[in-house]
Amino acid sequence: MKGKRSKRRPRTSLVLALTLIAGLGATVPAAADDPAYPFRDPHLSVDRRVDDLLSRLTLAEKVSLLHQWQPAIPRLGIQAFKTGTEALHGVAWLGEATVFPQAVGLASTWDPALIRRVGSAVGDETRGFQQERPAGWGLNLWAPVVNPLRDPRWGRNEEGYSEDPYLTSSMATAYGTGLTGGDPEHLKTAPTLKHFLGNNNEVDRTTTSSDLRPRVLKEYEEQAFRPAVEADAATGVMSSYNLVNGRPATVDPALDDVRTWTSQDLLNVTDAYAPGNLIGTGSQKYYDTLAEGNAAALKAGIDSFTTDDTNSVPTTTAVTSALADGLLKESDVDSAAGHILDIRVRLGEFDPGGGRYGAIDKSVVNSPAHQKLARKAAADAAVLLKNSGGALPLKASAKDVAVVGPLADTLYTDWYSGTLPYAVTPKDGIAARLGAPVTGSEGVDRISLRNTRSGAYVTAGTDADGEALKESAGGGTAAQFDVFDWGAGIVTLRSAANGRYVGYDWSDFVNDQVQPGGWFVQQQFALEEQDDGTFLLRYAGYETREPWWSNPVYLGPAGPDGTLGLVGRAQAARYAKDVVRSGTEEAVAAVKGKDAAVVVVGSMPAINGRENDDREDMSLAPSQEALVEAVRKANPHTVVVVENSYPTTLGALREKVPALLWTTHAGQETGNALADVLFGDVNPAGRLTQTWYRSESDLPSILEYDNIKYDRTYQYFKGDPLYEFGYGLSYSSFRYGKLRRVDGGYQVAVTNTGARAGDEVVQLYTHQRLSRDKQPLKQLEAFRRISLQPGETRTVKLGLRGKDLAHWDVTRSKWVVESGTYDVLVGASSEDIRSRTSLEVAGETIPARDLSRTTRAENFDDYEGVRLVDESKARGTAVGASRDGAWLKFADSRLGDGGAQFGARVAGAAGKVEVRLGSPSGTLVGTATVSGTGSVYTYAEVSAPLSAAAAAAKGRQDVYLVLGSGMRLSTFTLG
């Protein structure tokens, strides 16, 4: 294991000897909390304290530390410790705490200083629970999520920051620095970056492999993680569920390589239950036993196993077995335990009074200061997408305002949200701003469902706990339900009788849910219209998508009292859907004659994509679009707020309404923040952190991770986006001066030419005109959010270093800055460029490939029909052919002086490797026959002579290797 501590920690006996020599150890038995124990002396170095504590632990005690729930060690006065308090945008799952905007919303502020303040507040609130220590509490936080958002269909889009790795890392560093307190030797909390690595799809997430060719790995994926670690804004990473280049991320040796990015120790953890995926009974089946899997994970860089909830026995038993079988050495356990204890020491656990942050109490939780910060963050994150004819801000004369739409008077929380201490809905916020009640309507239909055969109605309970749905002869509100349409045919049913949502409880359908939620989100239904105009009611909870689900999915009377249950389609009840109240008509009536109409539409975070569920489309629900259109026709002064967590295609809606504002689900202060922006108390300056596409057809498969080849994100996308990366409007206008080069970067004068004070986000991009390799169309290098008064001019400096222009050279496996001309562009978005210049760089010229040296197959320039695969279970990446005729391109290669031999290291199926020049079907200059090795991990050296055509080829050539199906190629030489 390459962790630093395992390199420098002395043997236990030597530690004890040195301690005694130094006079720091107890010469007689000491009390557990005796400061004579060096590990309790805050004046000693962290290393010294950890070494001392490790020396006092038995092997069994050290092994016990490797599970998420670390037990107390009473004989040393050590308390229990848990990894994994969720803190993505506030402290979660511990009770009421300040809920800030979702992470993608925080990033939309483009304001690292603000995000650091938010992180600091979340860190304080985490500490605020330390006196009570509720179940599940701990100071090791599982946040932030720094997976770059390369595909907006990812179900967990709300958890990340941006499709751009630089913006992502900037936000992660800011948030993490706030969480840590900014002093790596004295941690407020210990943030863990999620999810390492290549984690951006939920479909089959434990069995799909993310192919990360070296350039994508180095230029994109790692660049989102590395800066926060280098800045000591994170204290470890969490391994992801997926495979990376054919190897489960839980045992990816890159986990240990991360330790080379910082001089501080890191505590790396697995994702929940991921260790069990590795073995024969799990989904990945990579190892036969848990002992083998746990041993491999420890050697790869994992320190803590998140599995089996609070039951550590399977983990400790497996690690103990691995030690006994020689799969692990005690030094491997010492290394992992040392990393864990290093974090615990820096958290002040063993300091008098709990260290620097030990006195923080619950008074900080949801404090007035944090409420104010939540409101500011939510307002600063809002993005103004359209503002035709000065529709916004709403005029001072707009006193009579209607607020309608399915999200007008509710706040939804996501899976990783904290518990709202209070909820200011959009309607509430606008009413408070006006100082008077406002007219409202959710704009959803209220219906009854009548069995066309029996005439009975579906009825629900009237008390707060609800009752099991049944068919009965009664009517009234007990037989009425509000239907919320979330798109893709999915609706939720809220009982008019008690205001609670209908959900499945593994036995009955009961109206007892405050809002949809839970792991399986069992409040989802589909009303399937039949040819005769009746409807079948289908249950669509997430568990129905699981392979183990074997129950029917349709509803019908399943008991003698008419209680609804799951029945086969043939037995499903056919219902007449009677509209008791039209939501659209009610909304139209609410907005007619008003000074302004605010329509709030969007998503339900538990339904429109979330963990374990990718989006199938990015549009608004059709009924929501229809509602907006009806309201606009009834009142031309219509403003639309889209409240969701991902880029939205929006259809024709954006063309029809005068004003369009986007916000993520923004926490407890959502309504106040929206009112601040809508009425102009806050001038909007949020900017999009992702490309908004016009259609899903603009995107390749969500499983394609090669941004370069498949033209992903603003860096490579050649189409016409709906809204570009970095886009956002303001109530002010800004003029840019000439871009000038200064020491350390560039500067530009920006003037507020509007009548209002406002913020501008100044963005600096570069583009390399000529290169050996495909380069981004634009690449964000720096940004700065500034505040300007009307008429004020400010000179903004934006840093740009030579190394910022580097890309990964696959011919030599190193970073390179090429000589040439680079465009330097500054503006208000990636497409709204206001000033530009060019930069002549005296860098390197990448030489021709020297294929006479051993070349790794993964370092290709282009490919078809191949996958990146695990060279061995421990480390290395090879290339596997998925079909006959698969090929790899090695461009700009010098064949050498008459080289006459091709050699390759191959595994897997029998077949042949062809060497061709110019194209996959070009001149054949050599063929190596492979007899098959019987295992994908057993490699053989094969060779073949090269023809005279190879010797005759002069200058630089594009060399293609063409492979047969099932073959794996690790390395090769030519010449």
Side-chain angles (χ1 to χ4, degrees):
M1 195 173 191
K2 294 185 289 185
K4 297 176 180 60
R5 187 166 298 285
S6 62
K7 291 181 178 179
R8 65 175 182 256
R9 170 164 288 114
R11 292 179 181 272
T12 298
S13 58
L14 180 57
V15 172
L16 284 173
L18 291 175
T19 300
L20 290 170
I21 290 171
L24 296 171
T27 57
V28 293
D33 59 352
D34 193 318
Y37 277 137
F39 76 83
R40 293 195 177 278
D41 186 348
H43 298 98
L44 297 179
S45 70
V46 174
D47 281 355
R48 192 76 168 272
R49 298 172 72 184
V50 174
D51 287 340
D52 174 73
L53 180 50
L54 261 186
S55 74
R56 299 178 189 280
L57 298 176
T58 66
L59 178 58
E61 288 169 338
K62 288 184 285 190
V63 171
S64 76
L65 300 178
L66 306 186
H67 188 262
Q68 179 187 22
W69 294 81
Q70 301 170 29
I73 303 175
R75 69 181 185 85
L76 293 175
I78 295 175
Q79 297 187 77
F81 185 87
K82 172 186 171 285
T83 62
T85 295
E86 300 292 354
L88 190 57
H89 52 108
V91 185
W93 305 359
L94 297 179
E96 292 183 356
T98 308
V99 179
F100 294 94
Q102 292 175 313
V104 72
L106 292 175
S108 300
T109 67
W110 289 62
D111 190 346
L114 175 63
I115 303 314
R116 179 169 178 169
R117 290 173 58 197
V118 172
S120 182
V122 176
D124 285 344
E125 295 202 9
T126 306
R127 281 282 184 174
F129 288 98
Q130 67 187 345
Q131 315 302 336
E132 300 175 2
R133 295 179 175 244
W137 172 86
L139 292 174
N140 172 246
L141 306 186
W142 286 354
V145 170
V146 297
N147 299 107
L149 305 178
R150 59 166 197 120
D151 195 310
R153 294 169 298 187
W154 186 35
R156 303 180 76 168
N157 195 83
E158 68 208 32
E159 298 181 36
Y161 291 126
S162 172
E163 69 183 32
D164 180 78
Y166 173 68
L167 181 56
T168 293
S169 66
S170 298
M171 295 300 163
T173 300
Y175 191 68
T177 301
L179 292 174
T180 65
D183 177 0
E185 296 295 329
H186 300 88
L187 296 171
K188 184 190 297 183
T189 64
T192 304
L193 303 181
K194 300 196 299 186
H195 310 80
F196 192 81
L197 190 67
N199 180 208
N200 197 224
N201 66 274
E202 296 303 294
V203 57
D204 299 327
R205 62 180 181 166
T206 68
T207 55
T208 55
S209 179
S210 304
D211 285 8
L212 304 180
R213 60 192 279 197
R215 282 194 64 195
V216 174
L217 173 66
K218 294 295 183 180
E219 297 175 23
Y220 192 69
E221 292 286 340
E222 283 189 1
Q223 292 309 303
F225 284 83
R226 184 165 185 152
V229 175
E230 289 181 332
D232 295 323
T235 59
V237 300
M238 172 189 282
S239 61
S240 54
Y241 283 124
N242 54 281
L243 292 81
V244 176
N245 296 347
R247 181 181 297 105
T250 309
V251 292
D252 188 341
L255 289 162
D256 215 24
D257 295 340
V258 171
R259 301 187 199 280
T260 65
W261 299 349
T262 175
S263 61
Q264 296 288 342
D265 254 352
L266 300 178
L267 162 56
N268 294 337
V269 306
T270 74
D271 208 337
Y273 280 82
N277 293 336
L278 290 170
I279 62 177
T281 56
S283 57
Q284 294 168 341
K285 307 185 188 307
Y286 207 64
Y287 299 100
D288 292 332
T289 67
L290 190 60
E292 291 176 280
N294 282 6
L298 282 171
K299 288 184 174 182
I302 288 294
D303 305 305
S304 177
F305 294 89
T306 311
T307 188
D308 302 301
D309 294 326
T310 60
N311 180 14
S312 64
V313 173
T315 295
T316 57
T317 300
V319 172
T320 301
S321 176
L323 287 164
D325 293 342
L327 299 174
L328 289 173
K329 297 177 181 178
E330 185 171 352
S331 59
D332 295 317
V333 174
D334 286 348
S335 182
H339 298 145
I340 294 166
L341 293 176
D342 183 284
I343 300 300
R344 293 178 66 172
V345 166
R346 287 192 276 153
L347 284 168
E349 180 180 347
F350 309 123
D351 291 357
R356 175 177 297 182
Y357 303 103
I360 298 177
D361 61 25
K362 205 169 183 180
S363 64
V364 302
V365 178
N366 192 39
S367 66
H370 291 178
Q371 295 173 10
K372 184 178 179 181
L373 182 62
R375 181 170 180 168
K376 176 175 175 55
D380 285 2
V383 181
L384 183 60
L385 298 176
K386 181 181 180 181
N387 193 20
S388 178
L392 287 176
L394 295 175
K395 306 297 186 289
S397 58
K399 302 294 186 182
D400 192 6
V401 177
V403 186
V404 301
L407 282 81
D409 201 23
T410 190
L411 296 186
Y412 289 119
T413 55
D414 59 66
W415 178 247
Y416 289 106
S417 173
T419 302
L420 294 170
Y422 59 85
V424 182
T425 69
K427 182 182 175 184
D428 293 336
I430 290 172
R433 174 62 174 73
L434 291 174
V438 298
T439 304
S441 167
E442 291 176 308
V444 300
D445 288 345
R446 178 165 290 184
I447 67 167
S448 62
L449 295 171
R450 176 173 47 84
N451 190 315
T452 56
R453 175 173 296 181
S454 67
Y457 285 89
V458 175
T459 59
T462 58
D463 60 11
D465 294 333
E467 293 178 9
L469 266 59
K470 63 177 62 176
E471 290 188 358
S472 62
T477 57
Q480 295 174 6
F481 301 89
D482 297 325
V483 183
F484 290 80
D485 177 13
W486 301 112
I490 300 299
V491 301
T492 53
L493 302 174
R494 188 181 65 194
S495 170
N498 66 354
R500 298 293 179 95
Y501 287 87
V502 176
Y504 182 56
D505 66 2
W506 302 103
S507 177
D508 295 312
F509 293 93
V510 184
N511 59 317
D512 62 350
Q513 301 296 301
V514 174
Q515 69 171 248
W519 180 253
F520 288 113
V521 193
Q522 296 174 306
Q523 298 81 33
Q524 300 181 82
F525 299 88
L527 285 164
E528 297 182 348
E529 187 170 9
Q530 306 302 296
D531 291 340
D532 62 359
T534 64
F535 290 82
L536 303 184
L537 183 57
R538 177 169 61 85
Y539 173 55
Y542 279 153
E543 70 271 32
T544 64
R545 306 182 190 182
E546 297 289 338
W548 48 262
W549 180 267
S550 58
N551 297 328
V553 295
Y554 288 92
L555 273 67
D561 63 350
T563 297
L564 294 185
L566 292 170
V567 298
R569 194 177 193 281
Q571 292 77 43
R574 288 179 175 256
Y575 292 111
K577 185 180 76 171
D578 300 326
V579 178
V580 178
R581 182 191 68 205
S582 166
T584 299
E585 290 178 3
E586 184 183 70
V588 165
V591 304
K592 278 185 176 180
K594 302 299 182 184
D595 297 332
V598 178
V599 190
V600 190
V601 294
S603 72
M604 201 284 137
I607 293 174
N608 294 106
R610 51 154 284 182
E611 183 170 358
N612 211 31
D613 184 62
D614 292 319
R615 268 174 292 283
E616 296 177 3
D617 65 62
M618 299 180 292
S619 62
L620 286 176
S623 66
Q624 293 189 23
E625 286 206 35
L627 174 68
V628 171
E629 175 64 4
V631 169
R632 184 196 66 82
K633 287 181 178 179
N635 189 325
H637 305 295
T638 292
V639 173
V640 176
V641 176
V642 177
E643 185 180 337
N644 63 15
S645 318
Y646 48 89
T648 310
T649 51
L650 292 181
L653 180 148
R654 68 185 288 263
E655 302 297 334
K656 297 179 179 179
V657 298
L660 193 58
L661 184 74
W662 176 81
T663 176
T664 188
H665 294 280
Q668 63 201 52
E669 286 285 341
T670 297
N672 284 331
L674 282 176
D676 289 341
V677 173
L678 293 173
F679 285 93
D681 299 324
V682 170
N683 193 340
R687 300 292 184 262
L688 298 180
T689 68
Q690 294 175 267
T691 302
W692 283 41
Y693 298 95
R694 293 182 180 274
S695 166
E696 290 79 15
S697 64
D698 288 331
L699 294 164
S701 164
I702 196 171
L703 299 179
E704 295 289 1
Y705 275 76
D706 191 343
N707 291 0
I708 300 172
K709 185 176 181 69
Y710 291 97
D711 295 331
R712 279 191 179 276
T713 80
Y714 81 97
Q715 292 186 353
Y716 294 98
F717 181 60
K718 298 174 183 176
D720 179 25
L722 186 70
Y723 296 112
E724 71 270 17
F725 174 81
Y727 175 86
L729 301 177
S730 169
Y731 298 152
S732 298
S733 56
F734 300 91
R735 183 179 66 243
Y736 284 63
K738 186 175 182 180
L739 187 60
R740 300 181 184 277
R741 188 175 181 184
V742 295
D743 186 39
Y746 286 82
Q747 69 180 28
V748 63
V750 180
T751 303
N752 182 350
T753 56
R756 292 174 175 268
D759 288 5
E760 172 72 329
V761 179
V762 184
Q763 304 165 39
L764 182 78
Y765 297 86
T766 61
H767 168 66
Q768 185 175 346
R769 293 185 185 176
L770 294 175
S771 172
R772 178 199 181 276
D773 301 306
K774 183 178 179 179
Q775 292 295 329
L777 303 172
K778 294 187 184 76
Q779 183 163 320
L780 182 69
E781 303 286 4
F783 63 90
R784 196 170 162 200
R785 180 166 174 157
I786 59 170
S787 299
L788 295 172
Q789 295 297 315
E792 181 183 1
T793 297
R794 180 175 300 179
T795 298
V796 181
K797 183 174 179 181
L798 300 159
L800 183 67
R801 304 161 298 177
K803 67 178 184 179
D804 296 332
L805 303 175
H807 76 278
W808 189 254
D809 174 19
V810 293
T811 71
R812 297 172 295 171
S813 294
K814 59 175 283 190
W815 291 100
V816 60
V817 177
E818 290 181 282
S819 296
T821 302
Y822 294 72
D823 294 315
V824 184
L825 317 164
V826 68
S829 77
S830 59
E831 292 193 0
D832 186 5
I833 300 302
R834 305 292 185 86
S835 184
R836 66 179 64 216
T837 187
S838 61
L839 175 65
E840 297 297 326
V841 175
E844 295 184 60
T845 298
I846 298 175
R849 280 186 182 268
D850 182 359
L851 296 183
S852 66
R853 298 179 178 180
T854 299
T855 298
R856 295 203 61 82
E858 65 179 309
N859 285 325
F860 49 71
D861 290 293
D862 199 2
Y863 60 95
E864 287 291 346
V866 301
R867 298 297 307 270
L868 293 172
V869 295
D870 49 340
E871 185 174 7
S872 73
K873 289 191 174 183
R875 64 182 58 252
T877 297
V879 175
S882 302
R883 58 171 173 80
D884 284 334
W887 55 263
L888 302 173
K889 176 183 178 181
F890 298 88
D892 197 31
S893 299
R894 190 181 299 279
L895 297 185
D897 298 325
Q901 193 77 10
F902 169 70
R905 187 169 179 263
V906 297
K912 60 184 180 179
V913 183
E914 296 178 344
V915 184
R916 293 182 177 270
L917 302 182
S919 75
S921 58
T923 303
L924 178 65
V925 296
T927 302
T929 302
V930 181
S931 59
T933 64
S935 167
V936 293
Y937 300 123
T938 300
Y939 285 83
E941 302 287 345
V942 299
S943 61
L946 297 179
S947 69
K954 301 298 184 181
R956 300 181 177 186
Q957 302 284 332
D958 291 342
V959 174
Y960 288 77
L961 301 184
V962 183
L963 310 176
S965 179
M967 298 178 62
R968 289 190 172 194
L969 176 64
S970 169
T971 61
F972 71 96
T973 58
L974 197 65

